[in-house]
Amino acid sequence: MKDTRYDMIILGAGLCGLTLAYLLRQSGYRLVILEARRRLGGRICTQYNPNQPPIEMGATWFGQKHKTLVKLLDELGLDYFEQYMGSHAFYDAVSSGPHQVELIPIPTDTEPSYRIKGGSHRLIEQLALHLPSRQIVLDQEVKTIIKSDTHFELRTSDKTYTAHRVVSTIPPALLVSAIDFKPRLDEQIVDIAGHTHTWMGESIKIALSYEEAFWRRTSYSGTIISRGPITEMYDHSDEEHQRHALVGFLDDRYVRARRAQRLMVILDQLRKYFGPQVENFIRYDEYLWRDELYTYTSYSGPMMPHQHNGHPIFNRSGWPEFYIAGSETAKTYPGYMEGAVVRAYEVFRAINKAAK
Ligand SMILES: Cc1cc2nc3c(=O)[nH]c(=O)nc-3n(C[C@H](O)[C@H](O)[C@H](O)COP(=O)(O)OP(=O)(O)OC[C@H]3O[C@@H](n4cnc5c(N)ncnc54)[C@H](O)[C@@H]3O)c2cc1C
């Protein structure tokens, strides 16, 4: 096995890991990011296809209240645009009784949502562009972490890496279930992390692209709030209103259905709102996050959304040079893109403080 030595290893090339590496870019540390997937971005996952707007299969929206993220976008020269909401939404969310679809006016949003121009992946790309390419190694799932008195040893299926400092940005529940720690991590941390909800880990994201945004021809907006099978849907046209799509979430009970069955129930529901034109889509895309080995892990008991997100225990891993990061560990807006960036800043400050 090849032995590779570093000052610092970051686990995960999602938004948190890449932002941290970006903040540390002038620190002089010999640093590497080990990423299990063959792509960057983690839960930021934009798909680019001809004649389609950039399709967000992961993180999409943010607001001005997400100050750290907005500051980072500005610093990287990335522009963003307001989510089109239109004037009326289909509402069918009452949980009992027969389905009753109402067309309800959408109140003027005092806190609009935004999307990154060109897709959320632009943020990942820009961060990566500031790092030497040798600093990111894809297809390296860390399976074992061994701590000795002087350093950490990280093992993947084909390599062993060593470092004096390790920062994990893997969702906490996955960190403690998928990685074998020698010696074991503190029991309390294992317990809290194992019961920390990974935001959106169960979700099914769906997208239908069309040549025309027919939903904009009327006072409809493409916005749907329903008890299912599609639970939420929004206009997903690009910033120039040139390429069009509807993007939303499917009830996660459909995770074990076949793709064709999911598409059938989606079209059945959309037909009720917009008529037969819904069948003229250019392309159907879906992403089942529950099947993503490097995001989702099943939990041992019932789980509330955002459970234990931002728990103070994540500030002390029990090992001085081992940091537990990732969006779910942030003090503010854990689970969201803002949380991922906030946490990168928090760990950056902690590392600098420890170095003094
Ligand atoms: C469907 C969906 C919709 C979302 N919508 C929004 C939204 O609209 N707005 C918003 O703000 N947020 C949204 N989010 C949440 C947002 O995506 C996350 O908060 C953010 O991307 C988390 O970044 P992260 O770097 O902390 O974690 P991740 O993106 O999960 O990155 C962790 C990285 O670690 C890697 N990894 C895992 N295991 C290992 C291992 N053993 N070894 C090495 N690497 C490993 C993973 O592959 C991944 O790249 C959404 C998420 C999903 C899934």
Side-chain angles (χ1 to χ4, degrees):
M1 268 190 197
K2 200 176 162 199
D3 193 52
T4 320
R5 292 162 200 274
Y6 290 92
D7 296 325
M8 191 185 311
I9 294 178
I10 298 175
L11 266 68
L15 181 56
C16 186
L18 288 170
T19 305
L20 178 60
Y22 167 79
L23 296 175
L24 287 164
R25 69 196 181 283
Q26 275 149 6
S27 64
Y29 290 121
R30 198 169 134 69
L31 178 152
V32 72
I33 305 180
L34 301 179
E35 167 55 50
R37 286 180 166 101
R38 290 180 180 173
R39 64 167 179 86
L40 302 177
R43 278 173 283 166
I44 292 183
C45 178
T46 315
Q47 296 192 353
Y48 297 94
N49 289 301
N51 306 322
Q52 264 189 310
I55 299 287
E56 304 296 0
M57 284 304 175
T60 310
W61 300 282
F62 61 95
Q64 288 293 347
K65 63 186 174 192
H66 297 145
K67 291 193 169 54
T68 329
L69 173 67
V70 171
K71 187 174 151 266
L72 180 64
L73 293 173
D74 290 345
E75 192 174 308
L76 294 171
L78 290 165
D79 211 350
Y80 43 90
F81 65 107
E82 200 174 316
Q83 168 67 39
Y84 172 82
M85 290 305 281
S87 64
H88 285 73
F90 284 107
Y91 181 80
D92 170 21
V94 180
S95 58
S96 60
H99 276 267
Q100 278 189 335
V101 185
E102 286 178 75
L103 196 57
I104 56 161
I106 300 177
T108 314
D109 202 343
T110 49
E111 282 186 36
S113 293
Y114 297 91
R115 285 158 51 199
I116 297 173
K117 267 194 182 180
S120 303
H121 191 72
R122 294 281 175 252
L123 171 56
I124 296 299
E125 254 170 44
Q126 274 305 313
L127 289 169
L129 273 176
H130 284 82
L131 309 173
S133 56
R134 63 173 189 285
Q135 239 177 39
I136 306 172
V137 190
L138 298 178
D139 202 11
Q140 288 294 294
E141 177 193 348
V142 174
K143 294 171 185 273
T144 308
I145 299 182
I146 301 166
K147 181 191 175 299
S148 73
D149 289 343
T150 52
H151 64 274
F152 293 91
E153 194 176 295
L154 278 70
R155 292 190 184 161
T156 67
S157 59
D158 58 350
K159 285 200 177 83
T160 297
Y161 298 82
T162 61
H164 296 295
R165 188 175 281 137
V166 173
V167 181
S168 165
T169 70
I170 302 175
L174 193 59
L175 174 72
V176 297
S177 64
I179 295 186
D180 185 16
F181 283 92
K182 291 178 183 161
R184 280 174 66 81
L185 272 179
D186 176 278
E187 278 308 320
Q188 216 190 344
I189 292 170
V190 173
D191 183 45
I192 300 285
H195 293 91
T196 297
H197 183 239
T198 304
W199 184 234
M200 289 288 174
E202 301 83 0
S203 60
I204 303 178
K205 200 106 185 250
I206 51 163
L208 285 157
S209 300
Y210 294 93
E211 260 166 33
E212 248 195 290
F214 52 81
W215 53 93
R216 288 193 186 193
R217 261 193 253 127
T218 56
S219 61
Y220 312 159
S221 56
T223 306
I224 296 163
I225 308 290
S226 168
R227 66 166 125 151
I230 302 168
T231 53
E232 282 178 59
M233 194 160 235
Y234 304 95
D235 176 284
H236 201 68
S237 304
D238 62 13
E239 61 278 12
E240 289 101 12
H241 307 292
Q242 295 295 318
R243 294 167 298 168
H244 308 284
L246 289 170
V247 166
F249 297 90
L250 191 68
D251 188 323
D252 67 3
R253 279 176 304 176
Y254 288 89
V255 73
R256 289 293 145 249
R258 287 199 306 275
R259 182 185 164 95
Q261 288 171 320
R262 280 189 291 272
L263 178 58
M264 190 180 72
V265 295
I266 291 165
L267 291 176
D268 283 348
Q269 187 174 347
L270 290 179
R271 215 179 282 113
K272 280 195 285 181
Y273 310 138
F274 304 114
Q277 59 195 335
V278 297
E279 282 151 35
N280 304 328
F281 56 90
I282 305 171
R283 192 183 150 104
Y284 167 65
D285 294 285
E286 60 174 29
Y287 213 89
L288 279 57
W289 283 92
R290 204 184 268 266
D291 287 347
E292 288 293 305
L293 272 184
Y294 302 125
T295 296
Y296 180 77
T297 180
S298 54
Y299 306 100
S300 58
M303 182 61 65
M304 297 287 288
H306 290 299
Q307 184 169 305
H308 291 327
N309 278 200
H311 198 290
I313 203 160
F314 295 127
N315 285 320
R316 50 176 180 88
S317 72
W319 297 342
E321 301 291 358
F322 184 76
Y323 297 82
I324 302 179
S327 181
E328 277 69 20
T329 67
K331 265 194 236 136
T332 50
Y333 296 106
Y336 298 94
M337 289 188 280
E338 170 74 1
V341 178
V342 163
R343 188 59 177 163
Y345 271 93
E346 285 172 5
V347 172
F348 174 66
R349 282 191 291 267
I351 288 171
N352 283 342
K353 197 171 158 197
K356 275 182 190 158

